Amino acid sequence: MERRIPGIIGFDLPIGRLEAKFKMGQDERHYDTGGAIRVLEQNDPALATMMKAHNAHRQD
């Protein structure tokens, strides 16, 4: 680590654009997503509601 520190250079980078995606379990098995939603209903109901909405179309 000490030999690498001299080669590290700090810099500022202005943000020109920011893109974000919601990953609410759509790519996971429906069984696993359902389990996460059930736990979140007890701990974070708002997030559980959002996950339900993002997965409502799923038929699997």
Side-chain angles (χ1 to χ4, degrees):
M1 181 68 135
E2 288 189 23
R3 70 178 175 84
R4 292 183 178 176
I5 289 176
I8 297 174
I9 300 170
F11 60 92
D12 289 323
L13 182 65
I15 299 172
R17 184 178 77 191
L18 179 65
E19 294 184 22
K21 293 183 180 184
F22 284 103
K23 295 304 290 176
M24 298 287 160
Q26 307 96 303
D27 297 333
E28 300 297 328
R29 294 184 311 171
H30 198 216
Y31 175 82
D32 294 334
T33 301
I37 290 170
R38 285 188 293 280
V39 171
L40 286 169
E41 286 173 331
Q42 304 301 312
N43 302 307
D44 193 340
L47 182 55
T49 299
M50 188 181 293
M51 283 186 75
K52 284 180 192 178
H54 278 78
N55 287 279
H57 68 282
R58 293 179 63 177
Q59 299 296 319
D60 55 3

